[in-house]
């Protein structure tokens, strides 16, 4: 058996470095994989799980026909490892079990385009998830949540909806520690099958309760940012779907968090963004909510505090989605038919803030165009590079999971506009501002190809104000400098180009 272990490790090196060997092995992949599984079952050698992952990635089409049998075998080995008498004392057993979970995850990832196979894998994976949760074995939570995520990317079965209730019970016990690991799965529950989410009030209640508990506890600001992001995703995903009774609860949760000490700009802007999304969802509902929220430290409505904080922090909205959300929110704010006094008080800041956000967006879009061009012109790999051993097969297999949504492309006409920038503008945008924020991977309806177009949305709102309320239009535009007026005209032109080209929009 030790000889077979060495042979398996040698096989991985051979496949990684020799193209001819890779081709030669292809017809024999089924018996090779079966023997590998047998050796793993007999030896419980954790080095062999990485060999199997490498073979799965290299021969994914050939593996498809045996994926179900392989996963069933791996699940049986996993169960055997967990139930062995030495499991509690042996660190090797834990490493072995983790390797098996990772291998099952790899199979799920490479089979994601084979719907029928994935459906059959679901039952096996749920058995594995159930084993971990029953024990419970907390150190495997991250891996089983990754499995559950993989099972919900295309569709969500009734069994997976039942898992949401189980995860809620787990959350109640282990609370904050695994909320960020749950986030990709929870995002799927909201976006993949929104109809089912809304068909049972318990589903939304469970997700909201988890977010609320994170925001009111001591989970730390990273988990709190994720909770606020999930609330924003729900509001945007369910716009026009009748969750009016939920939105005030979401807004109150994030604004209450803002009244306590917030260390990072990210958490502050993320909390503001939930309320901004609520403004986009239903302006009258948000204003009514703000006017009726009272926190113990202040008897006054929170409306003015929210709007002032928003105006002060517009330069803290980074990346693409956050800037876009902020622009759309400010456009709705300036177009309110019944303006609160707090909006009148900041009139001189609204359009200049929007222009600053558009300037940031222009840099973001341009940097992405350059990145795409760089990727297209990059020299093809040499034969040596192609055969170079891959350092982490797990990373390779999970790459698609990390990209939850492709980033939108640059606006029409953006490249032409780029040269008109002053060099001084570069000082305002460091690298962090140009890159997408970490939470942007949790896509919303605004980020899809048919999502709202920020250029058209803003210019339509401003033109409507110009036609219907000349005094308010004058108040909005009077503070603009000559450079800002020029930028505004450029935005009008770009919006028209995008409209003519049929880019997104209303």
């Amino acid at each position: 058996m030790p000889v077979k272990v060495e042979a398996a490790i040698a096989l991985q090196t051979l496949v990684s470095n020799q193209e001819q060997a890779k081709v030669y092995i292809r017809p024999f992949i089924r018996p090779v994989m079966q023997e590998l599984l047998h050796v793993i079952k007999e030896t419980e050698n954790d080095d062999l799980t990485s060999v199997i992952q490498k073979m799965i990635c290299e021969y994914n089409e050939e593996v498809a026909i045996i994926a179900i049998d392989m996963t069933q075998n791996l699940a049986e080995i996993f169960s055997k490892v967990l139930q062995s008498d030495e499991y509690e004392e042996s660190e090797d057993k834990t490493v072995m079990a983790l390797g098996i979970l990772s291998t099952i995850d790899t199979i799920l990832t490479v089979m994601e385009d084979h719907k029928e196979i994935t459906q059959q894998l679901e039952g096996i994976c749920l058995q594995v998830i159930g084993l971990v949760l029953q024990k419970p074995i907390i150190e495997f939570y991250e891996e089983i949540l990754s499995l559950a995520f993989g099972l919900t990317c295309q569709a969500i079965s009734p069994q997976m909806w039942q898992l949401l209730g189980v995860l809620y019970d787990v959350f109640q016990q282990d609370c904050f520690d695994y909320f960020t690991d749950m986030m990709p799965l929870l995002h799927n529950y909201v976006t993949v099958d929104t109809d089912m989410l809304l068909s049972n009030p318990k589903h939304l209640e469970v997700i909201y309760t988890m977010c609320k508990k994170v925001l009111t506890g001591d989970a730390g600001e990273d988990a709190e940012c994720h909770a606020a992001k999930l609330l924003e995703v729900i509001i945007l995903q369910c716009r026009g779907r009748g969750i009016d009774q939920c939105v005030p609860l979401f807004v109150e949760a994030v604004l209450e968090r803002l009244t306590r000490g917030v260390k990072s700009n990210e958490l502050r802007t993320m909390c503001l963004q939930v309320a901004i999304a609520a403004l986009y969802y239903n302006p009258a509902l948000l204003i009514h909510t703000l006017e009726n929220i009272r926190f113990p430290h202040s008897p006054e409505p929170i409306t003015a505090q929210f709007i002032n904080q928003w105006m002060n922090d517009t330069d803290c909205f980074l990346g693409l989605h956050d800037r876009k959300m902020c622009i759309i929110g400010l456009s709705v704010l300036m177009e309110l038919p019944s303006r609160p006094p707090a909006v009148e008080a900041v009139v001189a800041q609204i359009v200049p803030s929007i222009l600053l956000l558009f300037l940031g967006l222009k840099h973001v879009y341009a940097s992405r165009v350059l990145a795409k061009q760089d990727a297209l012109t990059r020299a093809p790999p040499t034969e040596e590079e192609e055969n170079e051993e891959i350092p982490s097969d797990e990373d390779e297999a999970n790459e698609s999971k990390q990209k939850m949504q492709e980033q939108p492309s640059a606006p029409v006409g953006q490249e032409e506009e780029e040269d008109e920038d002053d060099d001084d503008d570069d000082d305002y945008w460091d690298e962090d501002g140009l890159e997408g924020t970490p939470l942007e991977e949790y896509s919303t309806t605004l980020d899809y190809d048919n999502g709202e177009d920020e250029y058209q949305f803003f210019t339509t709102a401003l033109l409507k104000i110009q036609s219907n309320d000349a005094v308010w239009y004058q108040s909005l535009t009077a503070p603009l400098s000559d450079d800002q007026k020029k930028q505004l005209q450029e935005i009008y032109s770009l919006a028209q180009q995008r409209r003519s080209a049929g880019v997104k929009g209303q």
Side-chain angles (χ1 to χ4, degrees):
M1 201 56 76
V3 175
K4 289 189 176 183
V5 171
E6 291 299 322
I9 293 169
L11 181 66
Q12 179 183 14
T13 307
L14 206 60
V15 168
S16 297
N17 292 284
Q18 297 293 331
E19 192 64 36
Q20 287 182 324
K22 195 188 301 183
V23 173
Y24 179 79
I25 293 166
R26 192 176 299 278
F28 308 104
I29 199 64
R30 184 170 189 157
V32 166
M33 296 302 274
Q34 288 171 336
E35 187 59 32
L36 278 172
L37 286 168
H38 174 70
V39 175
I40 288 177
K41 196 169 187 176
E42 293 299 314
T43 65
E44 294 184 5
N45 186 307
D46 61 89
D47 290 332
L48 298 187
T49 56
S50 65
V51 177
I52 284 196
Q53 287 181 55
K54 176 66 182 177
M55 301 297 281
I56 292 167
C57 293
E58 289 290 352
Y59 301 102
N60 52 74
E61 289 303 319
E62 289 78 11
V63 164
I65 57 174
I66 55 170
I68 296 163
D69 287 342
M70 281 182 61
T71 308
Q72 186 64 58
N73 272 305
L74 288 165
E76 289 169 5
I77 298 169
F78 182 76
S79 177
K80 179 188 166 191
V81 170
L82 257 59
Q83 290 166 8
S84 64
D85 295 334
E86 321 90 78
Y87 174 75
E88 297 293 339
E89 293 80 36
S90 172
E91 188 177 326
D92 288 344
K93 297 278 186 183
T94 302
V95 174
M96 177 66 191
L98 282 170
I100 293 168
L101 289 175
S102 180
T103 305
I104 295 173
D105 202 17
T106 301
I107 294 173
L108 260 186
T109 302
V110 299
M111 292 296 114
E112 63 184 354
D113 293 331
H114 298 77
K115 189 175 179 181
E116 291 180 4
I117 294 174
T118 303
Q119 286 173 344
Q120 293 181 70
L121 291 176
E122 182 182 290
I124 303 169
C125 292
L126 281 172
Q127 290 173 14
V128 170
I129 291 169
L131 271 175
V132 172
L133 293 177
Q134 283 162 19
K135 279 239 175 215
I137 309 174
I138 292 176
E139 58 262 39
F140 295 161
Y141 279 6
E142 186 177 341
E143 284 70 27
I144 64 165
L145 288 167
S146 181
L147 285 180
F149 167 77
L151 293 167
T152 54
C153 287
Q154 309 295 331
I156 304 178
S157 69
Q159 292 74 26
M160 293 308 297
W161 278 109
Q162 288 176 11
L163 181 64
L164 176 61
V166 175
L167 289 176
Y168 177 64
D169 294 337
V170 170
F171 174 82
Q172 296 288 72
Q173 294 165 19
D174 299 302
C175 210
F176 313 125
D177 294 345
Y178 291 91
F179 182 78
T180 54
D181 294 317
M182 287 184 183
M183 179 72 176
L185 173 59
L186 295 175
H187 179 266
N188 277 356
Y189 279 123
V190 173
T191 58
V192 172
D193 193 352
T194 310
D195 289 341
M196 184 57 72
L197 173 79
L198 298 178
S199 70
N200 184 343
K202 193 72 181 171
H203 293 154
L204 206 51
E205 181 187 337
V206 159
I207 294 174
Y208 162 68
T209 304
M210 292 167 73
C211 293
K212 176 76 181 290
K213 194 163 185 177
V214 169
L215 288 165
T216 54
D218 57 353
E221 293 200 356
D222 183 45
E224 289 172 318
C225 284
H226 282 76
K229 181 65 183 183
L230 192 55
L231 294 178
E232 183 211 10
V233 172
I234 294 170
I235 292 171
L236 294 175
Q237 188 72 25
C238 300
R239 186 170 180 254
R241 303 289 297 270
I243 60 162
D244 291 22
Q245 75 283 6
C246 302
V247 171
L249 298 174
F250 296 0
V251 171
E252 185 168 4
V254 294
L255 294 185
E256 190 280 328
R257 178 62 189 88
L258 274 180
T259 62
R260 292 180 278 122
V262 174
K263 295 177 183 175
S264 68
N265 287 340
E266 186 182 19
L267 178 57
R268 194 166 62 251
T269 54
M270 199 59 254
C271 288
L272 290 171
Q273 220 159 279
V274 175
I276 296 167
L279 181 66
Y280 176 56
Y281 173 91
N282 184 330
L285 178 62
L286 177 74
I287 298 302
H288 177 76
T289 301
L290 293 175
E291 288 295 312
N292 285 279
I293 289 178
R294 297 288 191 282
F295 291 127
H297 69 280
S298 172
E300 295 296 315
I302 201 167
T303 312
Q305 286 176 257
F306 163 67
I307 290 172
N308 290 334
Q309 186 72 62
W310 183 7
M311 290 299 108
N312 288 337
D313 286 340
T314 51
D315 61 340
C316 297
F317 287 77
L318 304 177
L320 193 150
H321 170 85
D322 294 5
R323 286 184 174 111
K324 181 173 179 174
M325 184 78 261
C326 195
I327 288 167
I328 288 172
L330 289 170
S331 301
V332 174
L333 188 73
M334 71 183 186
E335 206 182 353
L336 287 174
S338 301
R339 291 183 293 273
V343 177
E344 304 267 2
V346 298
V347 61
Q349 295 174 253
I350 295 175
V351 176
S353 294
I354 291 173
L355 295 178
L356 187 68
L357 288 159
F358 269 120
L359 182 62
L361 268 185
K362 186 167 71 171
H363 282 267
V364 172
Y365 281 130
S367 70
R368 294 187 180 192
V369 167
L370 289 173
K372 283 184 179 180
Q373 290 173 347
D374 184 53
L376 289 171
T377 56
R378 196 173 295 142
T382 62
E383 187 175 336
E384 290 77 10
E385 287 170 330
E386 282 182 339
N387 291 333
E388 196 173 290
E389 185 171 356
I390 298 171
S392 172
D393 303 314
E394 183 181 349
D395 289 346
E396 176 193 304
N398 290 334
E399 184 179 355
S400 63
K401 288 193 176 185
Q402 302 303 318
K403 296 182 178 179
M404 308 226 3
Q405 176 69 34
E406 283 188 14
Q407 302 297 346
S409 57
V412 173
Q414 194 70 65
E415 297 90 335
E416 292 88 341
E417 192 187 358
E418 184 62 22
D419 292 335
E420 296 168 15
D421 246 0
D422 290 332
D423 291 338
D424 292 344
D425 292 339
D426 297 336
D427 298 336
Y428 291 100
W429 311 106
D430 59 15
E431 228 172 270
D432 292 337
L434 294 181
E435 293 177 359
T437 64
L439 293 173
E440 279 188 13
E441 68 180 20
Y442 300 108
S443 58
T444 74
T445 52
L446 283 186
D447 309 311
Y448 304 151
D449 287 341
N450 61 348
E452 203 79 75
D453 177 68
E454 65 274 25
Y455 287 83
Q456 296 174 54
F457 193 92
F458 163 66
T459 53
T460 299
L462 196 56
L463 287 169
K464 199 180 293 182
I465 293 167
Q466 187 177 19
S467 299
N468 300 335
D469 192 342
V471 175
W472 180 240
Y473 177 81
Q474 178 62 24
S475 300
L476 286 165
T477 56
L480 300 183
S481 66
D482 289 341
D483 284 345
Q484 287 173 323
K485 288 175 183 175
K486 181 183 174 187
Q487 188 195 349
L488 182 58
Q489 289 306 312
E490 290 169 355
I491 291 168
Y492 274 126
S493 298
L494 189 51
Q496 186 54 51
Q497 288 177 44
R498 289 163 74 79
R499 189 175 288 109
S500 299
V503 177
K504 299 186 185 179
Q506 306 164 76

